[in-house]
Amino acid sequence: MRNLMRELAGLRAEIRNHASNAWATDRGYEPIYTASPRSKIVVIGQAPGKQAQESQIPWNDASGIKLREWLALTDAQFYDPDTIALLPMDFYYPGKGTHGDLPPRREFASLWHPRILRLMPELRLTVLVGNYAQKHYLGSAAKKNLTETVRAYDDYAPDRIPLVHPSPLNFRWQAKNPWFEADVIPALQSLVAAAISEPAVKDATRSGLRTSHHP
């Protein structure tokens, strides 16, 4: 376990110093993610927002409050890396676009995620928040759009579950899809509770870290 922690620390330094992230380092940005060899659940989202980047606290906004509510976790549980790993598709705020924040860089997750995930052998559940994470990690198993993918949540259980982004901007989507609060959230909370309470395992295949790129 100590060796895994050392590798994670070294990997964070490598990410910070990588040439592709020099622009962020020059601005004083740190990579925004959390991970531990003891993490039980990994939440894979889009990219940190400006508030998260400046505070160096992932999901540090209204979306994070809603996500913790959906997961039925306290702030302490959510921000404990031994319980939850927070691994966005890009570890840096990408900047503002015409309609909201810019998307995560296309190749970022492919470069860094596999190296981090292999150092978290106790993962049991992968929570895929939003379209970018779902397309990357579900590949051809994703449905024709985000709504249909989230509606088919049971197809991916018990080791993966797709969610819509918890942004307040998605309130219309939630109003049009009441089955999300009625069906998906209770299932999510059951999976989270089970993942946290289950005894530690050594078999990494239990973690649900299958991707379209890395079977």
Side-chain angles (χ1 to χ4, degrees), residues 92-142:
Y92 297 93
Y93 172 57
K96 204 74 176 170
T98 306
H99 303 289
D101 293 341
L102 292 169
R105 286 172 288 175
R106 189 180 298 272
E107 299 303 323
F108 191 93
S110 297
L111 179 61
W112 300 110
H113 279 201
R115 298 179 62 189
I116 296 172
L117 291 170
R118 73 175 181 81
L119 300 175
M120 296 192 287
E122 294 187 18
L123 286 176
R124 298 152 192 168
L125 176 64
T126 301
V127 180
L128 300 169
V129 182
N131 226 5
Y132 294 105
Q134 289 162 24
K135 286 182 176 179
H136 184 84
Y137 278 92
L138 297 179
S140 61

